[in-house]
Amino acid sequence: MASKSSVFLLGPGFIGLEILSELLKGGYSVTTLVRQEEARANIEKIGSKTVKGSLDDHDTIFDAAANHDIIIHTATADHKPSAIAILDGIASRAKSGKSTIYIHTSGCSAITDKSEGKFVSDKIYKDDEPETVDSIADDAPHRQIDLAILERRKQLGSKAKVSIVLPPVIYGLGKENRLSIQIPTMARFALKHGFAGFCGGGKAVWGQIHVSDLAKGYMAILHYMESSSGDEVLKNPYFFIENGKELSWEDMAAGIGKALHKAGRLQDPKPREIPGEMFGDLFQEWSVAVIGENARNRANRLRALGWQPQAKSTFDSFVEDELPILLAETGEHKGYSAPVAS
């Protein structure tokens, strides 16, 4: 596929805007799905075309997917209708002999365990061993959407190149001063309740990735898919993207507590377990799965492609870049109720 291929991007948010910047720098012609006129103006100003619609607009997404060489979905890991609309568009292209690349964003909540944070698991998922990811439970977070994509992928065969990306904890300051989800939500909880906390026992660990390294990882995956045959891509649908650093949820809470204490916003920096009745200010019934369980993995495939993380560490980023934004926020924090990408 030529380097000037057309891209349809869904989700111009924290992840998507970072990827959009990389795509435009790479000379791709990008069309972005936007919901609001204000967003349309901002996206067009930086160089992307736009199409107006929501994730529930099957026909809009179908038409865009059917008319683009590449589709990248970063809006959410938990919206099946939009993924199906994309795959319907890809199937339409396949009937006319056109190959399509589709990169779907899932998340590492899909590989969480039932440890309740009581221990560090010795189970490590590796993306060059796809059978380890295939073994996760059908009712795991994000998995039903991933399974629907995998079924259509199987039907399409080499006529389409489809990959699923599973990010870990994403951190960093994104475009337009956007923040990620997990660590900022924990920090907002701490500011509201006066202590930094974790769910469950706090011992479970997740990998980490800065949003800029994440976007470059997507580009490495895209270039691999462009240069590989459909049969080659069909061998393995999964990519992890992690920077080699794992932190426990207690470690992350401790880092938040230390930073907020130094900023004069917490009296005691020591983290402690958050009781279940307070999960409404986190991720509701998904709180333990999102910020409490183990989700260990290795991005062996990306590293084999030559990708290497380069951005600053989780806590350096939090203190230097994210904390000033968080401290300037106004309004009452009421938890995070939207689907979580990780």
Side-chain angles (χ1 to χ4, degrees):
M1 224 173 244
S3 62
K4 301 298 182 180
S5 297
S6 61
V7 181
F8 177 43
L9 174 68
L10 295 84
F14 179 64
I15 300 173
L17 283 176
E18 205 77 26
I19 294 171
L20 176 58
S21 176
E22 294 292 329
L23 289 167
L24 294 173
K25 283 191 290 185
Y28 290 87
S29 173
V30 185
T31 301
T32 304
L33 181 71
V34 297
R35 289 182 297 172
Q36 300 174 346
E37 284 298 327
E38 181 181 357
R40 168 176 274 179
N42 291 337
I43 296 298
E44 291 179 350
K45 185 176 181 180
I46 62 177
S48 173
K49 292 175 283 188
T50 60
V51 58
K52 195 166 184 289
S54 75
L55 294 180
D56 293 312
D57 291 336
H58 178 279
D59 292 350
T60 299
I61 294 172
F62 171 90
D63 289 342
N67 286 287
H68 287 79
D69 305 310
I70 300 161
I71 300 99
I72 302 177
H73 194 337
T74 65
T76 170
D78 294 306
H79 192 272
K80 187 174 178 180
S82 58
I84 296 301
I86 290 168
L87 291 161
D88 288 345
I90 291 172
S92 176
R93 285 174 61 86
K95 289 178 182 177
S96 59
K98 297 177 181 178
S99 180
T100 313
I101 287 173
Y102 175 28
I103 302 176
H104 178 81
T105 306
S106 181
C108 281
S109 291
I111 60 169
T112 50
D113 57 14
K114 304 298 182 184
S115 67
E116 296 183 348
K118 296 176 181 177
F119 57 85
V120 178
S121 174
D122 58 4
K123 175 68 173 179
I124 301 176
Y125 292 85
K126 302 174 182 178
D127 58 11
D128 56 354
E129 298 175 7
E131 65 276 6
T132 65
V133 186
D134 283 333
S135 70
I136 66 178
D138 289 354
D139 63 352
H142 314 320
R143 190 58 177 168
Q144 282 300 304
I145 289 84
D146 292 354
L147 288 172
I149 293 169
L150 292 170
E151 178 59 30
R152 291 292 293 275
R153 180 180 185 270
K154 182 178 179 181
Q155 294 169 10
L156 288 162
S158 61
K159 296 177 181 177
K161 304 175 184 179
V162 181
S163 292
I164 297 174
V165 178
L166 295 91
V169 172
I170 308 169
Y171 65 92
L173 184 62
K175 305 298 183 185
E176 300 178 355
N177 283 344
R178 291 174 183 256
L179 300 177
S180 62
I181 297 172
Q182 285 152 298
I183 291 176
T185 298
M186 294 170 68
R188 293 180 183 114
F189 177 95
L191 287 166
K192 179 176 180 177
H193 294 284
F195 72 95
F198 50 84
C199 296
K203 306 304 180 188
V205 299
W206 272 51
Q208 311 282 308
I209 192 70
H210 192 284
V211 66
S212 65
D213 286 331
L214 179 71
K216 291 179 175 64
Y218 272 77
M219 296 302 294
I221 294 167
L222 174 57
H223 296 328
Y224 156 76
M225 296 174 76
E226 288 178 312
S227 62
S228 300
S229 69
D231 287 327
E232 176 63 26
V233 174
L234 197 59
K235 292 177 182 178
N236 185 347
Y238 304 115
F239 281 93
F240 291 120
I241 305 183
E242 44 77 29
N243 66 9
K245 306 295 184 183
E246 291 182 319
L247 293 171
S248 73
W249 293 106
E250 185 174 12
D251 289 338
M252 285 182 260
I256 291 167
K258 180 179 178 181
L260 292 178
H261 176 71
K262 187 174 182 179
R265 299 297 294 271
L266 291 185
Q267 290 186 345
D268 183 359
K270 186 177 181 180
R272 61 179 188 262
E273 183 176 352
I274 299 170
E277 59 267 25
M278 300 180 78
F279 286 178
D281 280 336
L282 293 167
F283 300 96
Q284 291 75 41
E285 69 270 22
W286 295 105
S287 294
V288 175
V290 175
I291 55 169
E293 308 283 16
N294 290 287
R296 307 187 69 190
N297 62 90
R298 298 291 182 267
N300 293 339
R301 298 186 71 195
L302 264 180
R303 288 186 171 85
L305 294 174
W307 170 88
Q308 291 292 335
Q310 299 178 338
K312 62 182 68 174
S313 70
T314 301
F315 293 133
D316 284 347
S317 175
F318 180 74
V319 172
E320 296 169 12
D321 302 328
E322 298 157 59
L323 185 58
I325 305 297
L326 288 162
L327 294 178
E329 290 179 347
T330 58
E332 183 183 4
H333 171 62
K334 296 181 179 180
Y336 193 92
S337 59
V340 179
S342 292

